[in-house]
Amino acid sequence: MSDTAEIKHRIKSVNDTHQITKAMELISVAKMRKALEKHAYNAAYFETVRYTIKDILQHSTDIRHKYIDHRPNNRTAYIVIAGDKGLAGAFNNNVLNLAWKHMQERPVHYVITIGQMARAFFESRQQPVDLEFTHSVTNPTLHDARGIMRDILELYDRNLMDEVIVVYTRMNSSVSQTPEMVRLLPIMASDIKSDFKSSFTGEILYDPSPKEVLNVLVPQYLVGMIYSTLIHSFASEHAARMMAMSSANKNADKMLETLNLEYNRSRQSAITTELLDLASGRFASQN
């Protein structure tokens, strides 16, 4: 009976865990879809901004601007985006290891973390964190992106950094996420990926000047890029957690099937033993 009771207790424990992982999977699916919907609402505007900046950089080759001019000192600032918690497969490890590997090639750099896992990762390696954003990754908003953009531009304008790179996880699909690095500053045409297709084929004239247009568009471009990386990271985290919890649910189903089979065998064995004991006792009393 003790074996039967122990198996029954294990079945209950696995069932309780299965309910938690199933709930986490459903929550991750809902949050992932909501994040992608939010991103789609603003995609058209930011796509136009990227297209316009790229057009200026490609057709105004003699323009000088503090946000597009290359600085030779290579004081790189890294914005590293990870999650606030684990249980998401290799999501956090992949993006953090990519950032750490690239940092080893840059002896002088600044570290800006978004997400508690990123902060803990660098602290465990005795790497000082210069700036930290703790809540932006849990529910990315344009307000968060603007705040990060203002802090980055302030440091860049004070010549405290020469290059800004964001390390994040790009969501290709619900089953495919890729850690990537994107240069935010200085802005280069080769770094700007734009799928916007304009029906206008002539030369665009910018009033009052391309430089003045850049002054207006650069903050919007940075906000859009930061917001996009936050959304992609947030959606990728929940996609990875959804897959991890789905795998856990399948394992739990297999474990429950095995335990139930073992429980039934143990119970049947106990019943058979009791019947044999009863039969043996009756036989002994008759003799």
Side-chain angles (χ1 to χ4, degrees), residues 51-75:
Y51 171 82
T52 304
I53 291 181
K54 189 168 187 175
D55 181 77
I56 292 175
L57 296 180
Q58 288 178 334
H59 296 92
S60 303
T61 55
D62 59 338
I63 190 173
R64 305 287 298 177
H65 196 282
K66 62 181 178 179
Y67 295 133
I68 65 175
D69 293 338
H70 178 70
R71 298 180 181 181
N73 292 331
N74 291 327
R75 293 172 299 175

Side-chain angles (χ1 to χ4, degrees), residues 27-185:
I27 290 171
S28 291
V29 170
K31 287 187 175 182
M32 178 187 68
R33 290 175 177 172
K34 184 177 180 181
L36 294 177
E37 288 175 359
K38 288 172 59 178
H39 185 262
Y41 293 152
N42 302 279
Y45 172 74
F46 289 124
E47 188 67 23
T48 305
V49 171
R50 286 196 293 270
Y51 171 82
T52 304
I53 291 181
K54 189 168 187 175
D55 181 77
I56 292 175
L57 296 180
Q58 288 178 334
H59 296 92
S60 303
T61 55
D62 59 338
I63 190 173
R64 305 287 298 177
H65 196 282
K66 62 181 178 179
Y67 295 133
I68 65 175
D69 293 338
H70 178 70
R71 298 180 181 181
N73 292 331
N74 291 327
R75 293 172 299 175
T76 305
Y78 291 88
I79 304 175
V80 185
I81 306 175
D84 271 344
K85 55 186 177 180
L87 298 176
F91 166 77
N92 288 309
N93 284 336
N94 288 343
V95 68
L96 293 173
N97 286 331
L98 174 65
W100 182 251
K101 180 180 179 180
H102 197 266
M103 285 179 184
Q104 306 314 301
E105 305 170 2
R106 307 291 179 95
V108 180
H109 51 258
Y110 298 87
V111 178
I112 301 164
T113 61
I114 302 177
Q116 296 182 14
M117 298 299 289
R119 174 181 53 78
F121 177 86
F122 291 112
E123 286 181 350
S124 67
R125 286 159 177 75
Q126 286 75 50
Q127 169 63 54
V129 174
D130 300 283
L131 194 60
E132 178 186 0
F133 297 93
T134 54
H135 304 296
S136 301
V137 74
T138 56
N139 184 27
T141 64
L142 283 171
H143 176 75
D144 294 329
R146 291 190 186 98
I148 297 171
M149 179 272 298
R150 284 193 294 267
D151 290 340
I152 295 300
L153 284 185
E154 181 182 355
L155 296 173
Y156 196 82
D157 290 341
R158 291 164 56 189
N159 291 320
L160 296 177
M161 55 185 66
D162 305 309
E163 183 182 37
V164 180
I165 293 176
V166 59
V167 188
Y168 74 108
T169 304
R170 180 177 183 82
M171 182 169 173
N172 304 315
S173 67
S174 59
V175 295
S176 174
Q177 303 86 40
T178 309
E180 290 188 358
M181 303 180 63
V182 176
R183 178 167 45 210
L184 293 183
L185 293 170

